[in-house]
Amino acid sequence: MNSPTSRRAFVATLATTVAGVACRSVPGMSSAPVRRLQVGHTGILWGYAPANAEGAIRDAASLGYHGFESFGSVLEFWASRGGLKRLLDASNLPLRSAYCPFELTDTSKRRATVAKAALWGRLIREAGGSIAVIGPDNVTRSTYAFGTHRTNIVAALNEIGQALADAGVLGAVHPHTGSSIQSRDEVHAVMESVDTRLVTLAPDMGELLAAGADPLQVVKDFLPLIRHAHLKDYDGGSDHDGYCAVGRGRVDMAGIVSVLEASTQELMLMVELNPSRASRVPPLEHARTSRDHLARMGYRFRSAG
């Protein structure tokens, strides 16, 4: 199954098969869905600075989320200060993942990029995590030609994936608006070319919708390769870069989680919302709104400690 054609056919067939059982109900409860997956929260809502991590962890734990996603740079900052795991353990909130931006298009930076992957992979593992969310480099989309960079992007992802695997974590590429991997066609081109033993997929539902892709279709297309997922909603407004709490936007979350629930992988759903200096609503309340919406969809959260 080495050719893009055979891999594409395999993914399409398996995705169709598992999606067919996505809407199972609990016996004796005609409309209650089976919710196998757990829900965590990323730290970005509280801000990018390492100092924001403590409040983010405390708030996410208080709302009963099952896991936390930090940043590679934040783990690096806290490594010389006792480690982020100390804060996570104090709140009884496990690290699941860290967002790790990498240079994919500039080959002159490849060696440094792979070295950074090795470092961040080790720090993720030491903090108890298992997923490195690979963030593609930002590009000027108005002049960017994906076809020119495709070979370099795939090669970079494979090397990054190998470095992460050597550190004991799994790499999952995260298509993002304004980056070198944004559109549905770019996602297909990359995922049909990389070594999927090393590089899996971590779709962000809001980012895909904002980029003009149908996130539900992307999830269906690549379900067997998805090992991590961001539940970010999108309303196109002026706050939070156009994103919003789960359930407040245009993303078909019900359809998406129905498909993700049929996955055979042990993935975690990560609620995410970009930070906003203008918002009068504190991060805790945005995270609570998302949690409450998902709870109404049948997801369970931990008791507050």
Side-chain angles (χ1 to χ4, degrees):
M1 197 180 301
N2 294 322
S3 72
T5 301
S6 61
R7 289 167 63 183
R8 188 185 306 117
F10 166 74
V11 168
T13 300
L14 187 52
T16 301
T17 301
V18 294
V21 297
C23 297
R24 293 174 297 177
S25 298
V26 177
M29 300 179 66
S30 59
S31 61
V34 174
R35 299 303 189 191
R36 178 181 67 87
L37 301 176
Q38 292 184 336
V39 180
H41 207 297
T42 75
I44 190 175
L45 176 58
W46 288 262
Y48 300 93
N52 298 134
E54 189 165 9
I57 291 168
R58 182 177 58 250
D59 284 354
S62 74
L63 293 172
Y65 283 99
H66 290 275
F68 186 73
E69 179 175 309
S70 188
F71 296 92
S73 57
V74 171
L75 291 174
E76 190 172 351
F77 174 88
W78 282 97
S80 61
R81 296 163 176 79
L84 193 66
K85 193 173 188 301
R86 176 173 57 84
L87 302 181
L88 291 159
D89 288 348
S91 290
N92 191 30
L93 183 67
L95 183 76
R96 176 68 174 189
S97 50
Y99 185 86
C100 302
F102 291 114
E103 175 65 53
L104 303 181
T105 57
D106 188 344
T107 57
S108 70
K109 299 179 180 179
R110 181 73 55 76
R111 179 176 294 182
T113 295
V114 174
K116 183 183 291 185
L119 170 62
W120 285 349
R122 176 176 60 80
L123 293 175
I124 291 169
R125 193 64 184 169
E126 289 177 353
S130 59
I131 300 288
V133 181
I134 300 174
D137 48 328
N138 291 328
V139 298
T140 303
R141 292 294 305 188
S142 60
T143 58
Y144 175 68
F146 172 78
T148 303
H149 298 282
R150 175 178 175 174
T151 299
N152 288 335
I153 289 172
V154 170
L157 286 172
N158 285 338
E159 291 189 40
I160 291 167
Q162 184 63 67
L164 293 170
D166 291 343
V169 302
L170 182 65
V173 67
H174 179 78
H176 201 284
T177 54
S179 80
S180 58
I181 308 172
Q182 170 179 298
S183 70
R184 182 189 174 199
D185 287 347
E186 290 165 1
V187 175
H188 273 258
V190 167
M191 297 311 298
E192 290 168 3
S193 302
V194 293
D195 184 345
T196 53
R197 296 169 300 179
L198 302 172
V199 182
T200 60
L201 183 62
D204 182 306
M205 311 315 159
E207 295 287 345
L208 286 167
L209 186 62
D214 177 358
L216 176 57
Q217 189 60 54
V218 171
V219 169
K220 288 179 179 178
D221 289 346
F222 293 104
L223 182 61
L225 301 182
I226 294 174
R227 299 297 297 275
H228 193 69
H230 282 188
L231 299 186
K232 182 190 288 184
D233 216 334
Y234 177 75
D235 63 2
S238 59
D239 210 2
H240 297 280
D241 299 325
Y243 302 101
C244 56
V246 173
R248 297 291 179 87
R250 307 172 192 167
V251 174
D252 180 6
M253 289 295 178
I256 287 167
V257 300
S258 180
V259 176
L260 289 172
E261 283 289 332
S263 173
T264 59
Q265 306 293 343
E266 292 301 321
L267 59 95
M268 180 174 281
L269 308 179
M270 280 287 172
V271 170
E272 181 168 90
L273 177 59
N274 290 11
S276 173
R277 293 181 180 179
S279 178
R280 297 182 179 180
V281 180
L284 174 66
E285 294 310 311
H286 284 301
R288 189 192 308 278
T289 298
S290 294
R291 181 204 64 180
D292 291 349
H293 182 80
L294 289 165
R296 289 191 292 271
M297 293 173 65
Y299 284 98
R300 295 184 178 183
F301 292 82
R302 304 182 306 164
S303 299

